[in-house]
Coordinates of all heavy atoms in Angstrom, one line a residue:
P286 N 40.3 103.5 158.7 CA 40.1 103.3 160.1 C 39.5 104.5 160.8 O 38.6 104.4 161.7 CB 41.5 103.0 160.7 CG 42.3 102.7 159.5 CD 41.7 103.3 158.3
L287 N 39.9 105.8 160.4 CA 39.3 106.9 161.0 C 37.9 107.1 160.7 O 37.0 107.5 161.5 CB 40.1 108.2 160.6 CG 41.5 108.4 161.3 CD1 42.2 109.6 160.7 CD2 41.4 108.5 162.8
S288 N 37.5 106.8 159.5 CA 36.1 106.8 159.0 C 35.3 105.8 159.8 O 34.2 106.1 160.2 CB 36.0 106.6 157.5 OG 36.6 107.6 156.8
A289 N 35.9 104.6 160.0 CA 35.2 103.6 160.7 C 35.0 104.0 162.2 O 33.9 103.8 162.7 CB 35.9 102.3 160.6
A290 N 36.0 104.6 162.8 CA 35.9 105.0 164.1 C 34.8 106.1 164.3 O 34.0 106.1 165.2 CB 37.2 105.5 164.6
F291 N 34.8 107.0 163.3 CA 33.8 108.1 163.3 C 32.4 107.6 163.2 O 31.5 108.0 163.9 CB 34.2 109.1 162.2 CG 33.2 110.3 162.1 CD1 33.2 111.3 163.1 CD2 32.2 110.3 161.1 CE1 32.3 112.3 163.1 CE2 31.3 111.4 161.1 CZ 31.4 112.4 162.1
L292 N 32.2 106.6 162.3 CA 30.9 106.0 162.1 C 30.5 105.3 163.4 O 29.3 105.3 163.7 CB 30.9 105.1 160.9 CG 30.9 105.8 159.5 CD1 31.0 104.8 158.4 CD2 29.7 106.6 159.3
C293 N 31.4 104.6 164.0 CA 31.1 103.9 165.3 C 30.7 104.9 166.3 O 29.7 104.7 167.1 CB 32.2 103.1 165.7 SG 32.5 101.6 164.8
L294 N 31.4 106.0 166.4 CA 31.1 107.1 167.4 C 29.7 107.7 167.1 O 28.9 107.8 168.0 CB 32.1 108.2 167.3 CG 31.9 109.4 168.3 CD1 32.1 108.9 169.7 CD2 33.0 110.4 168.0
V295 N 29.4 107.9 165.9 CA 28.0 108.4 165.5 C 27.0 107.4 165.8 O 25.9 107.7 166.4 CB 28.0 108.8 164.0 CG1 26.6 109.1 163.5 CG2 28.9 110.0 163.7
A296 N 27.2 106.1 165.5 CA 26.2 105.1 165.8 C 26.0 104.9 167.3 O 24.9 104.8 167.8 CB 26.7 103.8 165.2
F297 N 27.1 104.9 168.1 CA 26.9 104.8 169.5 C 26.2 106.0 170.1 O 25.4 105.9 171.1 CB 28.3 104.6 170.2 CG 28.8 103.2 170.0 CD1 30.2 103.0 169.6 CD2 28.1 102.1 170.1 CE1 30.7 101.8 169.4 CE2 28.6 100.8 169.9 CZ 29.9 100.6 169.5
T298 N 26.5 107.2 169.6 CA 25.9 108.4 170.1 C 24.4 108.3 169.8 O 23.5 108.6 170.7 CB 26.5 109.6 169.5 OG1 27.9 109.7 169.8 CG2 25.8 110.9 170.0
A299 N 24.0 107.9 168.6 CA 22.6 107.8 168.2 C 21.9 106.8 169.1 O 20.8 107.0 169.6 CB 22.5 107.5 166.7
L300 N 22.6 105.7 169.3 CA 22.0 104.6 170.1 C 21.8 105.1 171.6 O 20.8 104.8 172.2 CB 22.9 103.3 170.1 CG 22.4 102.1 170.8 CD1 21.0 101.7 170.2 CD2 23.4 101.0 170.8
S301 N 22.8 105.8 172.1 CA 22.7 106.3 173.4 C 21.5 107.3 173.6 O 20.8 107.2 174.5 CB 24.0 107.0 173.8 OG 23.9 107.6 175.0
L302 N 21.4 108.2 172.6 CA 20.3 109.1 172.6 C 18.9 108.4 172.6 O 18.0 108.8 173.2 CB 20.4 110.1 171.5 CG 21.6 111.1 171.6 CD1 21.7 112.0 170.4 CD2 21.4 112.0 172.9
H303 N 18.9 107.4 171.7 CA 17.6 106.6 171.6 C 17.3 105.9 172.9 O 16.1 105.9 173.4 CB 17.7 105.6 170.5 CG 16.5 104.7 170.3 ND1 15.3 105.2 169.8 CD2 16.3 103.4 170.6 CE1 14.4 104.2 169.8 NE2 15.0 103.1 170.3
V304 N 18.3 105.3 173.6 CA 18.1 104.6 174.8 C 17.6 105.6 175.9 O 16.7 105.3 176.7 CB 19.3 103.8 175.3 CG1 19.2 103.4 176.7 CG2 19.6 102.6 174.3
R305 N 18.2 106.7 175.9 CA 17.9 107.8 176.9 C 16.4 108.2 176.7 O 15.7 108.4 177.6 CB 18.8 109.0 176.8 CG 18.5 110.0 177.9 CD 19.5 111.1 177.9 NE 20.7 110.5 178.4 CZ 21.8 111.2 178.8 NH1 21.8 112.5 178.6 NH2 22.9 110.6 179.3
A306 N 16.0 108.4 175.4 CA 14.7 108.8 175.1 C 13.7 107.8 175.6 O 12.6 108.1 176.1 CB 14.5 109.1 173.6
Q307 N 14.0 106.5 175.4 CA 13.2 105.4 175.8 C 13.0 105.4 177.3 O 12.0 105.1 177.8 CB 13.7 104.1 175.3 CG 13.5 103.9 173.8 CD 12.1 103.8 173.4 OE1 11.3 103.2 174.0 NE2 11.7 104.6 172.3
E308 N 14.1 105.6 178.0 CA 14.1 105.7 179.5 C 13.2 106.8 180.0 O 12.4 106.6 180.9 CB 15.5 105.8 180.0 CG 16.4 104.6 179.9 CD 17.8 104.9 180.4 OE1 18.2 106.1 180.6 OE2 18.5 103.9 180.6

Side-chain angles (χ1 to χ4, degrees):
L287 287 175
S288 296
F291 179 73
L292 286 175
C293 285
L294 180 65
V295 168
F297 287 134
T298 301
L300 184 61
S301 173
L302 291 174
H303 178 71
V304 167
R305 182 173 290 188
Q307 289 296 315
E308 287 175 348

